[in-house]
Amino acid sequence: MTQALPLPPPLTRHRLVFVDGAFRDDLSARQELPDAFFVRCAEKDDGYALTLQGQTCLAIDPIELLFVTTAHGVAGAAPTKINVSLGQSSRLTLIERHVEGDSLPLAGRAREGGVRLGVNAQVVSSVVPPPPLRPSQELRSPPSPQGGGVLDVKARSLHLVLSLEAQAKLVHGKIVTCGDHFAQAQVSVAAGAFYDYFGLVVGGQDIHCEKTVELLGELAEARFSGVMLLRGAAHGVMTTLVRHLAPNGISRQVCKTVLEDKAHGAFEGKVFVDRLAQKTDAYQLCRALLLSDKAEMEAKPELEIYADDVKCSHGATMGALDENALFYLLSRGIDPEAARSVLVKAFVGEMVDAIQSPDLAGTVREEVQKWLA
């Protein structure tokens, strides 16, 4: 008998569970997805397909991808690879969660093919790895304060490929609460499509998230919101690259980090504007709140522009809590710890309030409250 694995309560009716990179059908909840929407391919192909017809809307009832890491995880294993394809005018809300769990017998490790989710897709006969980044797309992470270079790739590594066809919309949420995490995501956005991302890193030790977004069609739009809450000796890195390759594209990048104790954070964001991408509107901001004199934050916002009719800006700010605001709360009889929590919650609250998925927003608020407590 398979040992029960304690899992967090599901956020939605549709949940796909992966344990140390292997898909676990016995732990998933996909019974309410029509058979035609979720197809298991031949065993030798080791892949899965979620097929939604054009203009299908799953924005209200999201799909949750739950990744659980256990003591069975093997360092250096091939990353789990997932492909998500949204057909023309389709709508999807995808919530990605990474947690730690107790050990249990596994139903075999996933091979390199991994999982394929698709909209307007055919039954998958094989999962082709995504193309490597071109030289101009290569992103290098800052060295870890514990020594060494790029963070080690663990068994919980994830390689996500997202493809949005014309007029599609994807609301993508990500919550990381596990100790170590390494993830890469490649996103392509066609004309008139909208990619809306919110990522929360709370706790953990070594966290590294890389994202590359290409706006391929006119009026394509992408929004990136990232929040990191780190304490102890944790090390968190967010790396983004947004490539504007067509006219009238819009991108927004905002990263907020709260650091306590000896935590170390880093944000490396780049906006590339091709010479054909006239009328581009790009904005990038990194803000950090340092709650300790020993906490460190590195920020590297960057613009590379080859068009002459654009609106692009970037900036970075770092500092401690506002002493005037803190004094105001203390003068009203609020104890120091509660006052600090109020200010930190306000610092990240604006971004949380902008989340379009109620399921994601509620979970994010709970995780933020746990960290503050």
Side-chain angles (χ1 to χ4, degrees):
M1 178 179 297
T2 303
Q3 179 183 347
L5 180 68
L7 300 177
L11 299 180
T12 70
R13 294 181 300 164
H14 311 314
R15 169 186 267 188
L16 306 179
V17 179
F18 302 80
V19 179
D20 292 330
F23 175 67
R24 290 293 298 268
D25 195 11
D26 58 317
L27 301 175
S28 301
R30 58 184 181 90
Q31 293 80 4
E32 298 188 29
L33 284 174
D35 293 338
F37 286 3
F38 192 88
V39 180
R40 180 170 183 172
C41 305
E43 185 66 27
K44 62 183 180 63
D45 296 323
D46 194 36
Y48 300 83
L50 177 65
T51 60
L52 303 177
Q53 301 301 318
Q55 299 184 359
T56 298
C57 178
L58 280 179
I60 299 177
D61 196 5
I63 294 178
E64 179 186 3
L65 301 181
L66 179 63
F67 298 87
V68 183
T69 63
T70 74
H72 289 275
V74 180
T80 302
K81 295 182 179 179
I82 298 180
N83 292 268
V84 182
S85 300
L86 274 69
Q88 184 172 354
S89 300
S90 59
R91 300 289 185 269
L92 176 65
T93 296
L94 191 68
I95 301 178
E96 179 188 337
R97 301 177 70 188
H98 299 263
V99 301
E100 291 184 336
D102 296 334
S103 60
L104 81 167
L106 300 181
R109 290 201 49 78
R111 293 185 290 275
E112 186 172 341
V115 176
R116 183 180 181 88
L117 306 177
V119 182
N120 269 355
Q122 302 297 323
V123 176
V124 182
S125 59
S126 63
V127 178
V128 180
L133 296 178
R134 295 186 290 274
S136 61
Q137 294 175 278
E138 291 182 356
L139 300 176
R140 299 185 180 276
S141 63
S144 167
Q146 285 78 21
V150 177
L151 302 178
D152 292 336
V153 179
K154 309 294 184 182
R156 75 252 321 148
S157 298
L158 175 66
H159 196 157
L160 192 62
V161 180
L162 308 174
S163 177
L164 283 67
E165 294 188 11
Q167 306 300 325
K169 179 179 179 180
L170 174 62
V171 176
H172 179 201
K174 179 172 182 174
I175 301 175
V176 180
T177 59
C178 57
D180 297 324
H181 176 74
F182 186 99
Q184 295 175 313
Q186 292 175 274
V187 187
S188 59
V189 186
F194 180 32
Y195 175 67
D196 186 5
Y197 171 83
F198 180 90
L200 172 67
V201 174
V202 53
Q205 291 300 317
D206 283 339
I207 309 294
H208 190 143
C209 300
E210 292 185 0
K211 188 177 295 292
T212 300
V213 181
E214 290 192 335
L215 303 181
L216 303 176
E218 190 169 3
L219 296 174
E221 184 175 352
R223 181 168 64 181
F224 172 93
S225 301
V227 174
M228 292 192 294
L229 306 176
L230 305 173
R231 60 165 49 103
H235 174 62
V237 179
M238 284 190 177
T239 305
T240 65
L241 169 61
V242 177
R243 294 171 55 85
H244 287 264
L245 304 177
N248 296 294
I250 301 175
S251 68
R252 297 287 185 268
Q253 299 182 63
V254 180
C255 178
K256 290 189 176 182
T257 304
V258 181
L259 301 169
E260 199 170 33
D261 303 324
K262 297 181 180 180
H264 178 271
F267 172 75
E268 182 180 0
K270 181 175 181 178
V271 175
F272 173 89
V273 181
D274 189 81
R275 62 182 180 85
L276 300 177
Q278 302 293 342
K279 304 293 184 180
T280 287
D281 183 357
Y283 173 77
Q284 186 183 94
L285 176 65
C286 174
R287 297 184 63 192
L289 190 59
L290 307 179
L291 303 181
S292 168
D293 293 338
K294 297 182 180 180
E296 296 181 356
M297 180 68 190
E298 300 177 29
K300 185 185 176 185
E302 184 178 356
L303 298 175
E304 185 176 346
I305 303 172
Y306 295 97
D308 54 14
D309 185 7
V310 300
K311 179 183 177 182
C312 299
S313 62
H314 64 72
T317 61
M318 305 174 194
L321 289 173
D322 188 324
E323 293 184 0
N324 292 330
L326 186 60
F327 175 78
Y328 175 83
L329 295 175
L330 294 176
S331 66
R332 294 303 185 271
I334 301 177
D335 66 83
E337 288 300 323
R340 283 159 54 96
S341 296
V342 169
L343 295 179
V344 171
K345 188 181 298 185
F347 179 71
V348 301
E350 182 180 359
M351 298 178 67
V352 178
D353 292 340
I355 298 176
Q356 298 187 20
S357 168
D359 302 287
L360 175 61
T363 304
V364 168
R365 290 191 180 95
E366 291 178 3
E367 294 295 341
V368 172
Q369 188 61 43
K370 290 178 184 178
W371 190 85
L372 292 174

